[in-house]
Amino acid sequence: MVLLAWRYADALRFVSESEGADLALIMFAKDMKHRLGFLLQKSDSCDYSSSQGKKEKISSSQRLSQEEVRKWADSLENLIHHERGLAAFRAFLKSEYSEENIEFWVSCEDYKKTKSPAKLSPKARKIYDEFISVQATKEVNLDSCTREKTSHNVLEPTLSCFDEAQRKIFTLMEKDSYRRFLKSPYYLDLVSPPGAGCGPENCKRNHTHTLDCNSNIISQCA
């Protein structure tokens, strides 16, 4: 293509500088211009097709299977240990203004992965101040006994110092918000197969909350 462009430019230069250029040379220059334009158009088309193919491949890889989504209804553990399931559940809790429970659970999971002993104390204090303390900005609902025990544990933090509080919050979500989630559009619109039609159950859903792998709800929480 570079060679064709050079030959075309050279031919035009020769025509412009030679008053006695014959008709054959002029026709040659026009032919080269036509070929160069065709090749450039073809190259752009190939680049676009390649780009579209990559986008479709990425979109396909992000889709959830119906089998995966149905497993979320088996247990809360299945739901929140799945990246997309956790994102959907967090979005649902956020819509109810009660996301502090799942945020506490996630923070505890992250805390238990701490490898440096030196980081345990500051991380434990941060979780306590944010979720456990009576002045906490996102205080979770714990009984006084568990709260007091956790407060004591934070004084000499270990990887298990939030275990009991985390179990209590997990049980609370399991009995309450998890059941509501399974009946909400955040789950039902995902578990319904495409083109299922509008049955009595589907028609009464609020489709403005439809959640799929490419939706804003997932992307904001993943």
Side-chain angles (χ1 to χ4, degrees):
M1 187 180 295
V2 175
L3 178 59
L4 284 173
W6 177 82
R7 289 175 66 186
Y8 169 61
D10 188 63
L12 287 181
R13 192 182 307 112
F14 179 78
V15 170
S16 64
E17 293 176 356
S18 303
E19 294 181 358
D22 57 15
L23 181 60
L25 188 56
I26 295 176
M27 293 301 293
F28 170 76
K30 289 183 177 180
D31 182 60
M32 294 300 294
K33 179 180 179 181
H34 173 73
R35 292 187 183 186
L36 181 60
F38 175 76
L39 289 174
L40 288 173
Q41 184 179 10
K42 184 176 180 181
S43 176
D44 291 341
S45 177
C46 290
D47 290 342
Y48 175 78
S49 297
S50 176
S51 175
Q52 287 296 106
K54 289 179 181 179
K55 288 180 180 179
E56 289 176 3
K57 185 176 181 180
I58 292 173
S59 177
S60 177
S61 66
Q62 291 177 342
R63 291 174 184 167
L64 283 170
S65 70
Q66 290 294 305
E67 183 180 357
E68 285 181 298
V69 177
R70 288 192 181 97
K71 286 181 179 178
W72 298 352
D74 292 341
S75 68
L76 175 59
E77 188 173 0
N78 282 354
L79 173 66
I80 60 181
H81 279 95
H82 189 288
E83 181 182 0
R84 299 291 181 179
L86 175 61
F89 189 50
R90 292 180 79 160
F92 166 72
L93 292 178
K94 189 173 183 179
S95 74
E96 291 196 334
Y97 304 97
S98 59
E99 66 268 33
E100 67 277 355
N101 286 337
I102 192 62
E103 288 185 11
F104 172 67
W105 185 89
V106 170
S107 295
C108 290
E109 287 295 290
D110 178 69
Y111 174 80
K112 288 187 288 187
K113 297 175 184 177
T114 304
K115 296 181 179 180
S116 173
K119 293 181 179 180
L120 287 178
S121 184
K123 290 183 74 171
R125 175 52 60 178
K126 183 177 183 298
I127 292 174
Y128 177 82
D129 290 341
E130 189 173 4
F131 299 104
I132 308 295
S133 169
V134 290
Q135 288 87 28
T137 56
K138 299 177 181 180
E139 184 181 1
V140 292
N141 187 14
L142 291 172
D143 60 87
S144 58
C145 182
T146 303
R147 190 182 303 276
E148 184 178 348
K149 182 177 180 180
T150 304
S151 300
H152 178 75
N153 290 343
V154 171
L155 298 176
E156 295 182 4
T158 63
L159 290 177
S160 60
C161 68
F162 291 107
D163 281 3
E164 184 172 346
Q166 187 184 20
R167 281 195 297 270
K168 292 289 179 69
I169 294 303
F170 179 90
T171 301
L172 182 64
M173 291 191 295
E174 188 175 39
K175 293 180 177 180
D176 185 26
S177 52
Y178 172 58
R179 294 179 180 180
R180 293 199 308 276
F181 167 78
L182 294 179
K183 297 177 181 179
S184 76
Y186 287 84
Y187 177 71
L188 295 177
D189 286 345
L190 273 177
V191 78
S192 297
C198 189
E201 185 65 26
N202 290 335
C203 284
K204 66 182 181 181
R205 296 179 195 165
N206 182 355
H207 287 283
T208 60
H209 291 94
T210 298
L211 182 65
D212 58 34
C213 294
N214 298 316
S215 70
N216 291 331
I217 297 174
I218 286 281
S219 62
Q220 289 173 1
C221 302

